[in-house]
Amino acid sequence: WQSTMADEIDDPGVDFHGGMGDDPDQLDGEEVMEDDPEVKEIMGDEVDDAADEQRTNIRGSGNAPKSVGSDQEEAIVQCDTSAGPITMHFYRSWSPHGYDRATTLFEKGYFDHSHFFRVVEHFLVQFGIGYTTDKELKAFSQSTIPDDPKRPEMLPFKEGMMSFAGSGPNSRSSQMFIAYDRAGGLGQSPWETPFGKVTSGLENVKNFYKGYGDMPPWGKGPQQGPIHNRGASYIESDFPLLDKFETCSVQRMNQSGAGVIKDVNVIKQSDTEVIQDANVVKNVAAEIKKANVVNKAETKEEVPSFPFTTLLILSSIVLSVLLGLGYMRNKKKKKYNKTT
């Protein structure tokens, strides 16, 4: 089967990441299996369930939030995996919608402990079916985002390049792939705009277990329907050698939009502090004024004012005393003169 697959990889009508090829008559992998009686007999109701789920996810329905970040924003995503650590670098300028979706899913821990369920030697590693029990996060992961413009200058895909898997125009949701060394044919479909690349730990990615091969009928790997329905237990019981994520951390950079908001908040905070300081000054001034009024009142109480009539009487008494003293002095002087 491997030689057959290798021959078909270069066929523009076959897209092994589960999406439509350049031939409009060629349906995506899941839809081909849905209509193939032999495959349907093998997969049973799981094909119908997967097909129903796919139909409910309306393509291009605009479920994703509007892309509002800075075009210069980037993110460093560091993950521990069962094969060793890997570091990925995402660029918003490459694929704004794809960047926003991928970065948010990693930030929310959607991929933590999920498996690399499709590992095809020399072709790609596919992942993106999380095991979260958070209904909100699950709904977010299943919503679709618009396609971003193609990046022909980035073709052909180099090893380590990352993109979304899809099943038609505007069908990107949560499934992504990392390209291996012979994935040069990828990047032609509208949903395959790259959003990032593996910058460290690529050897660990290349060492992911590949023994199961591709999904049926091209290989013996896991089927997506049971992963959705049974989660990790399906992989661990039937495909125990597959590698998986442990946990990831995200560091965003060059968030100019967020920086402006932050600066505005700082300015607002500074304004608030100035207003608060002014209020403090006003309060202190009011207290001082109040204290002065109290002091004046206390002074008035401590030094009572004399009535005008009392002052006049006292003045008269003093004047009378002075006049009397002057009279007595003159009388004594006259008596002295007569004696001499």
Side-chain angles (χ1 to χ4, degrees):
W1 65 271
Q2 289 183 339
S3 61
T4 302
M5 184 190 70
D7 293 338
E8 291 180 331
I9 286 176
D10 295 328
D11 182 350
V14 177
D15 193 337
F16 275 77
H17 66 277
M20 298 171 66
D22 292 340
D23 182 355
D25 296 327
Q26 174 63 47
L27 300 176
D28 67 285
E30 289 181 2
E31 291 173 338
V32 169
M33 288 190 289
E34 177 188 357
D35 295 332
D36 189 328
E38 294 182 2
V39 175
K40 189 168 184 178
E41 184 178 354
I42 296 173
M43 297 181 68
D45 295 335
E46 292 164 356
V47 165
D48 294 328
D49 294 339
D52 290 339
E53 182 177 352
Q54 186 177 4
R55 291 189 190 101
T56 59
N57 191 10
I58 302 174
R59 296 173 180 174
S61 57
N63 294 329
K66 290 184 178 180
S67 191
V68 295
S70 164
D71 287 341
Q72 301 306 313
E73 184 177 319
E74 299 176 9
I76 300 295
V77 182
Q78 296 177 310
C79 298
D80 289 325
T81 76
S82 54
I86 62 174
T87 301
M88 296 162 282
H89 198 151
F90 299 166
Y91 304 86
R92 196 171 190 278
S93 59
W94 291 10
S95 173
H97 292 102
Y99 171 92
D100 290 345
R101 172 56 61 90
T103 305
T104 302
L105 286 173
F106 273 104
E107 281 180 330
K108 292 179 177 293
Y110 177 75
F111 300 115
D112 288 358
H113 309 295
S114 65
H115 287 84
F116 301 98
F117 60 83
R118 188 181 182 200
V119 186
V120 183
E121 191 168 10
H122 299 301
F123 188 46
L124 57 72
V125 176
Q126 189 168 331
F127 63 92
I129 303 178
Y131 305 137
T132 180
T133 57
D134 186 316
K135 292 183 179 179
E136 228 175 271
L137 180 55
K138 189 172 184 179
F140 174 75
S141 71
Q142 292 174 346
S143 64
T144 56
I145 60 175
D147 292 328
D148 286 306
K150 288 186 178 182
R151 303 301 301 265
E153 72 277 10
M154 294 185 177
L155 300 180
F157 270 19
K158 296 180 180 179
E159 191 168 36
M161 194 77 77
M162 298 183 64
S163 177
F164 276 84
S167 55
N170 303 313
S171 64
R172 296 181 296 175
S173 56
S174 66
Q175 292 196 36
M176 309 170 189
F177 65 82
I178 303 172
Y180 275 153
D181 58 341
R182 299 182 190 172
L186 296 175
Q188 302 295 332
S189 298
W191 55 89
E192 290 179 345
T193 303
F195 60 84
K197 60 183 179 180
V198 176
T199 55
S200 177
L202 187 57
E203 288 302 315
N204 294 328
V205 175
K206 292 164 72 173
N207 287 333
F208 288 162
Y209 184 75
K210 309 174 183 66
Y212 301 117
D214 206 338
M215 59 185 178
W218 304 281
K220 298 180 180 179
Q223 302 160 12
Q224 293 190 25
I227 303 177
H228 284 288
N229 296 331
R230 295 167 53 189
S233 61
Y234 165 65
I235 300 292
E236 291 168 357
S237 62
D238 294 6
F239 306 92
L241 298 179
L242 283 179
D243 288 287
K244 65 178 181 178
F245 284 108
E246 299 299 341
T247 57
C248 300
S249 63
V250 178
Q251 179 185 1
R252 292 184 185 244
M253 303 178 295
N254 303 332
Q255 293 177 272
S256 62
V260 169
I261 294 172
K262 184 178 180 181
D263 291 342
V264 169
N265 289 335
V266 169
I267 292 170
K268 287 181 178 179
Q269 184 178 358
S270 300
D271 290 343
T272 302
E273 290 174 354
V274 170
I275 292 171
Q276 288 175 347
D277 292 343
N279 288 335
V280 169
V281 172
K282 286 175 67 177
N283 292 337
V284 171
E287 291 295 328
I288 293 173
K289 185 176 181 181
K290 183 179 179 182
N292 288 338
V293 170
V294 171
N295 289 336
K296 287 180 180 179
E298 290 175 352
T299 303
K300 287 180 180 179
E301 290 176 1
E302 291 174 359
V303 187
S305 59
F306 290 99
F308 177 75
T309 54
T310 303
L311 183 62
L312 184 61
I313 292 171
L314 289 174
S315 299
S316 299
I317 293 172
V318 171
L319 183 60
S320 298
V321 171
L322 292 175
L323 290 174
L325 290 173
Y327 174 77
M328 291 298 292
R329 183 178 295 177
N330 289 331
K331 188 175 180 180
K332 285 182 179 180
K333 188 176 181 182
K334 289 180 179 180
K335 186 176 179 180
Y336 174 77
N337 293 331
K338 286 179 179 181
T339 306
T340 56

